[in-house]
């Protein structure tokens, strides 16, 4: 109970200090937001927020940077921020992705964290544009009560602000919050606010100065299993003989309300809807098409409860852990599969090769706290370099596998706090001479040759000392 | 023109092998094929299930091997295991036979050095098949030593697929026996070789073979008793020779000294009753040698007779007094229960229930002889006949090995394994000798006919043979028929072996497979489900109480501390667990709390019809518990001497902890269509107590098919 109290205090503190800081005028304030709409989707444990901002340049100089701000508690759980802008007129609209980068501001009130959106064309004085922002929050729903019995359903808290935290003046704003079911225990009222079905509406609120904040707390039922992969190590091994071997080691945990007391199999089997509603029964992994030799096992052997469905566009692997995961229960397992190399390995014009592969976790609706991607290049490859669409930590390692003499270069990439939205492609470039492919077969055949020569020699040489 | 074909035929001739070379080539290729066959026939379990460790004891071996790979040899040697026998612990390094683990780790290191990136589990799984392959080679050389190379080849083939051996050496059966049978046969072979040659080198090799055997398996006691017995028989039958003297003394002294290096064996070679026979024969041998020398020196036979009498009497007296003194002073320990139970099959049943409770310690049913040996059972006496016909030091050995091991195989099911190599070798002699005789008959007759036609008048020998042929007109046809009969029998043997291997001996017993309603394969993976749940979702230091059968598996797969395990070294501790299981809940909770137990695990087959569950093992818990704690009385659990769980069961049975834990909330469960709820499919009855209430324990986990049920011990209620 200590943590939520502290969080609440912190929020209150933020609120007060924000009110004080309003007076401080900033150089940023020549932009203003004429209309803002925010839709928060709480239906799974990953919080999806769609923000539509109509930004207007009220200043005199053109600007191409728009700031987004987040309270520090949210910024820690922020997995990804994307900004899009609509281009074209009427029917021919296309969405154009904009650059978003985290920014530090020297006079940030109360450790608010900023992201800068770089507009493609500078916004001239008096002009306005509409920006769509999508950001995902992980670990932002706190189970309350923190421990539940098997037959109880899982209730969670979600904390946010009724007003959008922004360094700009917002003329009009509305927030819609979508809950997974109609069961909402309570929600903070900030008039005008009302609830209809699975939607809670805050606003519209008119004319709020920069850094306005009004904390809200929603207590609702969320029975979706909180599948969190605490650690995932993906190893992609390239063999130029035509195979790409992927091995993924998972440490999975159900991060929802902790299971308390008895686990009764008879109840769980006979009344599955009422019992263990929030338990994690199975997971779905989306694998690339043409996957082969799939296995699913853990430290003590194969896990027989899995199904693979393949078609020409994708493969779906449905895996069940050995036992249903209740809140706080853990499971570790390994998924491995082979892929045809020609689907993923390409050559550049300057005779380099590159691997084009997805970065994130193939499991749907899961959060990965820490992901390590290891790309094992074939023995003898040189100058590896990785291109990843988002910042990651990188280093090199050496791995010894079958019949290796000098070892294989491994490109290691690490990233924290991932969501399925991170499943974008990355590239690893390297140079490789095909002659190295022959090294291992030659080694093997020469070993056999030597063995036979030794046999022949032994049969023809008399080693006895007695004569 | 004329030279060309000549040179071509020369060239062809130079490529053509001589008969001797052909024979060698055929022999080597047969041996290679047998080597491969012995390996791949043991891979059924991997194909049917997966590459995994089987059964109970192999899990302990696997766990220790893992420890050895991770921590190195010295840590392994000094390992005190806190995770078993809580709160006593177990000095693992000093109470196991390290041969198997060291072998596996050695293979693993070599493969790693050669840059084969294998996992230690794969090495462990394939250790037994690998050694089985090696055993076929040893069998070949052994057969060659005692009979001829034909018998050797047949022996290699027979042992490669013999179910009696396969039962303990399929892939995944990572147990001591896997390497020990190889070591046993190797030691015997090398010893026989040493006796035949009188070479120090071979007897040194047999000492090392013995050392390896001692390091691998407790069955080495068989070697250290059989070899002295063999020597004794040779002495009595007047086959004493310098060769025997050299072979036995070198093997015994060096083997003993080497065996003392194994901590678990220690000084037993000089201190334990089981090893005294070897020592006695050693001294006898010296007396014999001394007498031989005296005989050589003394020319007077009468004087020698008197001397002989005095020496033998005094030697026996001194030996007897020394043995008696050793026994009385406690320096020489008496025979262990296991050893007694071998000599007297009823001993364990009366005195040591814990030995009698193990299914593999039961006396063998005749059907399992048939199952494990098939035609070898008929060939064995025939082979004995051939051995007696051509008596030599080597054949005497194999006869003695065969007869003694057959006796032990009759006493205990698991000792069929020890008898298998002997049975295979002796049967191989029978097959080889019969087939050889028959083919010789076929071929010589042709030759006689041929020589008769070309030479016209043969020697007296051929004419006498021709006469013999005339006296038995159907000899050739009879020989052909008998040959076909032999091949038919052998092919039946091969089919039987393959069938037994694939159907009976390849199940890992951790994963259960059954046929579903539509003929599809249904897998019950409940054991691993439960063990993995324990591993992941209980505190690191949780103590799990279960019947001892599951101890090794819980520590290896569940990675949790257990109270008792399959190393049944402390009968009292096991009896305490048995007592807790067979007491009422409020009495049991006292024991459970005193043992600091957090979880209680039971195995229950009532839903799936799995019959080797804890309810069916329960009477042994009562017997073992009652053996130490007389409070527990077996008749309390029986009704008119009958064991039942339905309404007519004894009241103590219906309310003891084991019953409650197995049947908790089972009364609500529909197991079979058309049967009342709470119908136990393993025993085919409706249970007697459907309203099971637990006060001090609560259900923590039950696997999807209810096979394993885990209960959490509730903390004591607050006092106020």
């Amino acid at each position: 109970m200590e943590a939520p109290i502290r969080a609440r205090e912190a929020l209150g503190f933020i609120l007060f200090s924000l009110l004080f800081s309003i007076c401080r005028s900033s150089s940023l304030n020549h932009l203003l937001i004429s209309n803002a709409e925010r839709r928060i989707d709480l239906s799974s444990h990953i919080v999806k927020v769609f923000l539509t901002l109509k930004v207007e340049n009220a200043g005199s100089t053109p600007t191409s940077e728009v700031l987004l701000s987040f309270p520090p508690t949210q910024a820690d759980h922020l997995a990804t921020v994307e900004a899009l802008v609509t281009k074209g007129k009427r029917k021919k609209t296309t969405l154009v992705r904009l650059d978003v980068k985290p920014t530090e501001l020297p006079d940030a009130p109360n450790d608010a964290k900023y992201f800068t959106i770089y507009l493609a064309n500078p916004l001239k004085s008096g002009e306005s544009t509409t920006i769509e922002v999508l950001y995902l929050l992980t670990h932002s729903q706190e189970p309350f009560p923190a421990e539940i019995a098997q037959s109880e359903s899982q209730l969670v808290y979600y904390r946010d602000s009724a007003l959008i935290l922004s360094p700009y003046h917002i003329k009009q704003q509305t927030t819609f919050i979508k809950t997974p079911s109609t069961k909402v225990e309570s929600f903070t009222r900030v008039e005008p606010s009302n609830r209809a079905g699975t939607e809670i509406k805050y606003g519209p609120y008119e004319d709020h100065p920069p850094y306005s904040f009004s904390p809200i707390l929603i207590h609702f039922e969320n029975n979706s299993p909180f599948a969190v992969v605490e650690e995932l190590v993906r190893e992609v091994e390239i063999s130029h003989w035509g195979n790409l071997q992927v091995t993924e080691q998972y440490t999975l945990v159900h991060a929802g309300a902790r299971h308390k007391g008895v686990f009764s199999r008879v109840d769980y089997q006979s009344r599955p809807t009422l019992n263990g509603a929030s338990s994690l029964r199975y997971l779905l992994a989306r694998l690339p098409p043409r996957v082969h030799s799939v296995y699913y096992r853990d430290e003590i052997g194969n896990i027989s409860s899995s199904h693979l469905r393949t078609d020409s566009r994708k493969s779906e692997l449905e895996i069940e852990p050995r036992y249903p995961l209740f809140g706080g229960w853990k499971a570790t397992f390994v998924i491995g599969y082979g892929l045809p190399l020609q689907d993923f390995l390409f050559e550049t014009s300057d005779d380099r090769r590159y691997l084009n592969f997805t970065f994130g976790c193939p499991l749907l609706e899961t959060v990965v706290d820490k992901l390590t991607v290891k790309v094992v290049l074939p023995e003898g490859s040189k100058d590896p370099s990785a291109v990843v669409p988002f910042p990651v930590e990188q280093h090199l390692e050496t791995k010894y596998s079958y019949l290796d003499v000098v070892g294989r270069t491994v490109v290691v990439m690490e990233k924290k706090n991932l969501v399925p939205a991170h499943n974008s492609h990355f590239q690893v470039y390297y140079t490789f001479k095909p002659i190295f492919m022959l090294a291992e077969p030659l080694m093997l055949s020469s070993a056999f040759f030597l063995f036979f020569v030794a046999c022949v020699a032994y049969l023809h040489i008399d080693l006895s000392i007695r004569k | 023109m004329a030279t060309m074909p000549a040179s071509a035929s020369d060239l062809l001739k130079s490529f053509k092998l001589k008969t001797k070379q052909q024979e060698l080539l055929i022999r080597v290729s047969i041996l290679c094929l047998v080597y491969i066959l012995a390996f791949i026939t043991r891979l059924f379990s991997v194909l049917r299930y997966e590459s995994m460790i089987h059964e109970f004891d192999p899990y302990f071996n696997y766990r220790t091997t893992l420890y050895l790979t991770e921590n190195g040899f010295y840590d392994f040697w000094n390992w005190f295991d806190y995770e078993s026998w809580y709160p006593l612990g177990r000095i693992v390094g000093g109470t196991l036979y390290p041969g198997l683990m060291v072998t596996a780790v050695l293979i693993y290191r070599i493969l790693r050095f050669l840059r084969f990136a294998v996992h230690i589990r794969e090495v462990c799984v394939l250790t037994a098949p690998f050694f089985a392959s090696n055993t076929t080679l040893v069998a070949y050389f052994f057969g060659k030593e005692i009979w001829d190379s034909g018998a050797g080849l047949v022996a290699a083939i027979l042992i490669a697929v013999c179910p009696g051996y396969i039962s303990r050496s399929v892939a995944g059966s990572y147990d001591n026996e896997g390497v020990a049978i190889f070591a046993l046969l190797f030691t015997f072979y090398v010893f026989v070789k040493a006796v035949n040659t009188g070479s120090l080198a071979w007897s040194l090799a047999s000492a090392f073979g013995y050392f390896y055997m001692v390091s691998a398996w407790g069955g080495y006691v068989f070697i250290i008793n059989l070899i002295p017995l063999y020597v004794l028989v040779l002495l009595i039958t007047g086959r004493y020779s310098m060769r025997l003297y050299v072979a036995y003394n070198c093997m015994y002294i060096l083997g003993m000294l080497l065996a003392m290096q194994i901590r678990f064996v220690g000084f037993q070679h000089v201190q334990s009753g089981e090893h005294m026979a070897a020592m006695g024969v050693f001294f006898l041998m010296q007396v014999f040698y001394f007498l031989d020398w005296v005989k050589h020196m003394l020319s007077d036979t009468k004087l020698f007779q008197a001397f002989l009498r005095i020496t033998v009497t005094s030697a026996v007296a001194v030996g007897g007094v020394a043995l008696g003194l050793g026994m009385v002073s406690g320096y020489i320990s008496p025979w262990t229960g296991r050893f007694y139970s071998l000599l007297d099959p009823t001993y364990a049943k009366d005195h040591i229930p814990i030995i009698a409770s193990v299914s593999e310690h039961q006396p063998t049913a005749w059907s399992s002889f048939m199952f494990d040996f098939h035609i070898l059972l008929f060939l064995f006496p025939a082979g004995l006949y051939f051995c007696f016909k051509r008596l030599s030091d080597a054949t005497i050995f194999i006869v003695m090995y065969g007869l003694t091991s057959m006796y032990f195989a009759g006493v205990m099911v698991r000792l069929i394994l020890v008898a298998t190599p002997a049975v295979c070798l002796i049967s191989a002699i029978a097959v080889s000798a019969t087939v050889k005789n028959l083919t010789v008959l076929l071929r010589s007759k042709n030759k006689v006919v041929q020589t008769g036609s070309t030479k016209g008048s043969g020697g007296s020998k051929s004419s006498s043979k021709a006469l013999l042929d005339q006296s038995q007109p159907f000899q050739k046809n009879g020989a052909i028929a008998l040959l076909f009969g032999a091949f038919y029998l052998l092919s039946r043997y091969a089919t039987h072996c393959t069938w037994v291997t694939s159907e009976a001996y390849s199940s890992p017993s951790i994963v259960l497979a059954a046929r579903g309603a539509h003929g599809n394969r249904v897998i019950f993976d409940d054991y691993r489900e439960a063990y993995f749940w324990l591993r992941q979702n209980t505190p690191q230091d949780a103590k799990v109480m279960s019947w001892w059968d599951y101890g090794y598996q819980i520590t290896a797969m569940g990675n949790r501390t257990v109270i008792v395990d399959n190393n049944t070294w402390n009968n009292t501790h096991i009896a305490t667990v048995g007592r807790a299981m067979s007491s009422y809940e409020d009495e049991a909770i006292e024991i459970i709390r005193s043992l600091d137990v957090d979880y209680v695990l039971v195995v229950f087959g009532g839903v799936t019809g799995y019959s080797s569950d804890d309810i069916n093992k329960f009477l042994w818990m009562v017997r073992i518990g009652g053996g130490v704690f007389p409070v527990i009385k077996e008749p309390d659990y029986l009704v008119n001497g009958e064991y039942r769980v339905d309404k007519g069961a004894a009241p103590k049975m219906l309310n003891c902890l084991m019953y409650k834990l197995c049947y908790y909330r089972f009364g609500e469960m529909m197991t079979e269509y058309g049967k009342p709820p709470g119908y136990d499919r393993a025993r085919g009855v409706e249970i007697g107590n459907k309203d099971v209430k637990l006060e001090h324990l609560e259900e923590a986990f039950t696997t999807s098919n209810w096979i394993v049920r885990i209960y959490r011990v509730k903390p004591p209620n607050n006092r106020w």
Side-chain angles (χ1 to χ4, degrees), chain A residues 405-421:
Chain A
V405 180
V406 290
R408 302 178 187 205
T409 313
V410 185
V411 182
V412 185
M413 289 160 278
E414 284 176 13
K415 180 156 172 61
K416 288 192 170 131
N417 201 9
L418 277 94
V419 285

Side-chain angles (χ1 to χ4, degrees), chain A residues 164-198:
Chain A
I164 299 167
L165 185 75
S166 170
Y168 308 118
H169 184 91
I170 303 177
K171 277 186 177 164
Q172 192 187 36
Q173 57 176 311
T174 329
T175 296
F176 301 95
I177 298 176
K178 189 169 173 283
T179 54
S181 70
T182 51
K183 283 187 191 156
V184 176
E185 297 280 307
S186 68
F187 66 99
T188 315
R189 290 189 177 275
V190 181
E191 292 306 333
S193 60
N194 68 325
R195 180 167 87 89
T198 60

Side-chain angles (χ1 to χ4, degrees), chain A residues 261-267 269 297-302 322-323 329-330 332 400 402-404, chain B residues 50 115-117 121 525 528-529 532-533 535-537 557 665 698-704 706 712:
Chain A
V262 174
F263 166 68
S264 167
R265 179 65 74 169
V266 68
D267 288 340
Q269 276 173 340
R297 55 175 298 136
D298 57 27
E299 290 129 297
I300 62 170
N302 178 56
R322 285 193 187 274
Y323 41 84
W329 287 13
K330 277 187 183 180
T332 56
Y400 291 93
Y402 285 95
L403 300 174
D404 284 353
Chain B
E50 57 178 286
R115 292 274 184 259
F116 286 95
R121 186 189 58 247
D525 204 356
R528 289 194 293 186
E529 181 182 343
F532 207 62
W533 182 84
R535 189 189 187 104
Q536 297 285 337
N537 300 312
M557 285 195 271
R665 298 198 68 184
E698 62 181 9
E699 188 177 5
F701 187 73
T702 297
T703 57
S704 46
W706 289 56
R712 190 183 294 112

Side-chain angles (χ1 to χ4, degrees), chain A residues 161-344:
Chain A
S161 160
L163 301 169
I164 299 167
L165 185 75
S166 170
Y168 308 118
H169 184 91
I170 303 177
K171 277 186 177 164
Q172 192 187 36
Q173 57 176 311
T174 329
T175 296
F176 301 95
I177 298 176
K178 189 169 173 283
T179 54
S181 70
T182 51
K183 283 187 191 156
V184 176
E185 297 280 307
S186 68
F187 66 99
T188 315
R189 290 189 177 275
V190 181
E191 292 306 333
S193 60
N194 68 325
R195 180 167 87 89
T198 60
E199 197 171 75
I200 303 169
K201 185 181 174 192
Y202 283 97
Y205 305 114
E206 309 278 338
D207 279 324
H208 275 277
Y211 300 112
S212 301
F213 199 88
S214 158
I216 53 171
L217 180 71
I218 303 165
H219 193 202
F220 60 100
E221 183 192 74
N222 189 350
N223 273 332
S224 74
F226 283 28
V228 174
V229 178
E230 285 186 330
E231 193 173 357
L232 169 60
V233 181
R234 294 186 92 195
E235 193 177 274
V236 184
E237 194 168 332
I238 301 169
S239 159
H240 277 265
W241 292 95
N243 190 37
L244 194 70
Q245 184 63 40
V246 186
T247 316
E248 297 167 350
Q249 292 174 8
Y250 292 87
T251 310
L252 183 74
V253 68
H254 187 304
R258 295 184 62 82
H259 179 69
K260 172 178 76 176
V262 174
F263 166 68
S264 167
R265 179 65 74 169
V266 68
D267 288 340
Y268 190 72
Q269 276 173 340
S270 56
R271 291 174 283 274
T273 45
L274 292 176
N275 267 280
S278 64
S279 72
L280 180 64
R281 286 161 206 255
Y282 67 92
L283 289 159
L284 207 59
R286 190 153 290 161
L287 305 180
R290 305 216 283 153
V291 66
H292 64 85
S293 11
V294 181
Y295 64 84
Y296 167 47
R297 55 175 298 136
D298 57 27
E299 290 129 297
I300 62 170
N302 178 56
I303 308 168
S304 48
S305 45
S306 61
H307 305 279
L308 180 70
R309 289 183 289 270
T310 51
D311 60 35
S312 58
R313 284 180 297 113
K314 61 173 192 305
S315 313
E316 273 185 343
L317 179 68
E318 189 189 303
I319 54 177
E320 278 174 49
R322 285 193 187 274
Y323 41 84
L325 287 186
F326 281 84
W329 287 13
K330 277 187 183 180
T332 56
F333 54 89
V334 181
I335 298 176
Y337 45 93
L339 292 166
L341 190 68
Q342 66 264 31
D343 296 4
F344 301 96

Side-chain angles (χ1 to χ4, degrees), chain B residues 289-301 304 307:
Chain B
Y289 187 68
F290 175 67
L291 285 174
D292 219 34
W293 179 71
V294 170
K295 192 181 175 184
H296 182 72
M297 301 300 270
L298 285 177
S299 46
D300 189 359
T301 31
F304 176 70
F307 183 75

